Amino acid sequence: MAGMEYAYAVARIRGKELTLLTGDFLEQLIGAASSEDCIRLLKEKGWKEEADDEAMLEAEREKTWNLIRELVSDMSPFDVFLYVNDYHNLKAAIKEAYLQTPRPEVFSDQGTIEADNIRKAVKNRKFGELPKEMQEPAERAYRVMMQTGNGQLCDIILDRAALEAVEKAGKESGDDFLKMYGELTVAAADIKMAVRSVRTGKGRKFLEDALAPCETLEKEELIDAAEKGTEGICLYLEKTPYSDGAEELRRSISAFERWCDNLMIRRLKPQRYNPFGLSPLAAYILARENEIKSVRIILSGKRHQLSQESIRERVREMYV
């Protein structure tokens, strides 16, 4: 679909952006006396109360995707946002087969492949029925799980494959925004993995297997930095496009994760003024995911009786 063909969809999205949650509204939620008061405020914004918090958040996510399906006939450019769910389902299917215990509740229905098709392919060991890019990592992760019972190694294989799929899809989209999304997603995941490897005492081999290649980080240099500890990673970041995140990482991994999410939102904001192409639609999807994440943080904080300041430190910047 050419850029001009998205013009109607973008015009509709402009109207929907008016309903996105603002920073001021999130402050209202943070200042609310209880999670119940938060939900009342959200209902006034058009959010529907469900059986529990996660059901409400999932309903909002489904609302977003239903809107995009209504606006465009070809959903494939947006698959880049869903590959992580496909690989989550693949991990779940392999562990289900290993435990020989059905767990349908752990599967996501927000993927590019029907979860049941993944489950059947794994159960019957017919990996050729999966998309080409999934076949080799699926078979390798299945073999590791069945032979060793090492769920962590299974996860490493499939998490890296998911990141490689996201990065490849971003590049092949022909869209600068989606390419940026793929690159930033992989870079942030690699940095966080390097920090966790330091904290858990993992060696170089672990990172060589776990880290996915990307253009804005030198994989070997990041591994070298990790061998010097968290400060080594921070010093390496100061030489990369993620230099501003080094100080946040020195504070905590959660502060760095927040910085990564806020960086993505800042990269999204120019799309509010782009009248053509798929980028404004992609930005809207990510903006909704971002507000869903922030609402989850606030509701969880309220239910665990965290202070307002503690919650505020975790909440992400908003798109509008």
Side-chain angles (χ1 to χ4, degrees):
M1 184 181 284
M4 284 295 294
E5 293 180 274
Y6 285 104
Y8 170 74
V10 172
R12 285 281 306 277
I13 287 296
R14 291 290 174 255
K16 290 294 182 179
E17 285 174 353
L18 300 175
T19 67
L20 289 172
L21 305 185
T22 65
D24 287 343
F25 180 75
L26 289 192
E27 277 296 320
Q28 281 186 266
L29 293 182
I30 293 170
S34 65
S35 58
E36 289 73 23
D37 287 337
C38 289
I39 291 172
R40 177 181 55 78
L41 290 168
L42 288 165
K43 285 171 67 178
E44 292 173 2
K45 285 287 187 179
W47 290 43
K48 185 179 178 182
E49 186 173 3
E50 299 285 348
D52 55 46
D53 294 349
E54 282 305 314
M56 180 181 67
L57 298 174
E58 187 57 36
E60 289 301 310
R61 179 173 291 111
E62 185 62 26
K63 189 189 299 182
T64 301
W65 284 100
N66 285 341
L67 172 64
I68 301 300
R69 293 186 192 102
E70 177 188 332
L71 294 178
V72 300
S73 56
D74 179 13
M75 291 290 292
S76 62
F78 305 105
D79 287 350
V80 66
F81 301 134
L82 302 176
Y83 286 138
V84 171
N85 295 333
D86 289 335
Y87 283 88
H88 162 82
N89 286 341
L90 182 54
K91 286 192 287 186
I94 290 172
K95 291 174 183 178
E96 184 180 64
Y98 175 75
L99 296 171
Q100 297 184 344
T101 304
R103 296 187 62 198
E105 73 280 0
V106 304
F107 290 87
S108 170
D109 59 4
Q110 292 286 345
T112 68
I113 313 164
E114 290 288 339
D116 282 345
N117 291 341
I118 294 176
R119 294 172 78 187
K120 289 174 185 175
V122 170
K123 182 179 180 181
N124 299 323
R125 287 183 287 180
K126 293 185 176 180
F127 301 107
E129 295 179 355
L130 297 172
K132 185 178 178 180
E133 293 78 8
M134 293 185 79
Q135 293 171 15
E136 188 276 332
E139 189 167 4
R140 186 153 48 96
Y142 180 90
R143 187 169 58 250
V144 163
M145 193 71 203
M146 295 303 165
Q147 292 178 356
T148 70
N150 190 332
Q152 184 183 62
L153 184 52
C154 172
D155 288 351
I156 288 169
I157 293 168
L158 296 181
D159 286 343
R160 174 172 171 171
L163 291 172
E164 290 175 344
V166 169
E167 194 264 352
K168 181 181 178 183
K171 278 186 176 178
E172 293 181 349
S173 70
D175 181 86
D176 289 342
F177 176 79
L178 292 182
K179 181 181 178 182
M180 177 279 295
Y181 168 80
E183 179 68 22
L184 183 53
T185 297
V186 175
D190 280 353
I191 295 166
K192 287 182 276 190
M193 180 64 73
V195 173
R196 292 190 179 106
S197 77
V198 170
R199 295 185 174 186
T200 56
K202 302 294 185 183
R204 188 179 191 94
K205 179 64 166 60
F206 171 85
L207 286 177
E208 287 174 345
D209 292 338
L211 301 187
C214 64
E215 293 181 356
T216 51
L217 294 173
E218 290 292 338
K219 180 175 174 177
E220 290 303 315
E221 289 187 29
L222 178 57
I223 294 173
D224 289 343
E227 291 188 318
K228 300 172 185 174
T230 302
E231 181 60 22
I233 296 173
C234 292
L235 291 173
Y236 170 65
L237 288 185
E238 289 174 348
K239 302 186 295 181
T240 73
Y242 311 106
S243 56
D244 290 347
E247 198 56 42
E248 297 302 318
L249 183 53
R250 287 186 175 99
R251 290 177 57 200
S252 69
I253 185 65
S254 62
F256 179 75
E257 289 175 346
R258 181 177 185 268
W259 179 85
C260 289
D261 288 342
N262 289 344
L263 177 61
M264 181 71 78
I265 286 297
R266 291 166 195 161
R267 299 273 183 90
L268 299 184
K269 287 186 177 182
Q271 300 308 320
R272 292 178 62 195
Y273 310 103
N274 180 1
F276 304 115
L278 64 83
S279 296
L281 280 69
Y284 177 80
I285 293 170
L286 294 176
R288 285 284 280 154
E289 285 295 325
N290 184 64
E291 70 176 20
I292 288 169
K293 180 182 289 187
S294 285
V295 169
R296 177 184 286 111
I297 289 168
I298 293 170
L299 291 176
S300 176
K302 291 295 180 183
R303 295 197 187 283
H304 288 88
Q305 298 183 326
L306 299 183
S307 69
Q308 290 187 19
E309 188 55 35
S310 179
I311 296 172
R312 190 174 289 111
E313 287 176 354
R314 292 167 170 79
V315 168
R316 275 51 174 168
E317 291 181 17
M318 292 294 100
Y319 184 56
V320 295

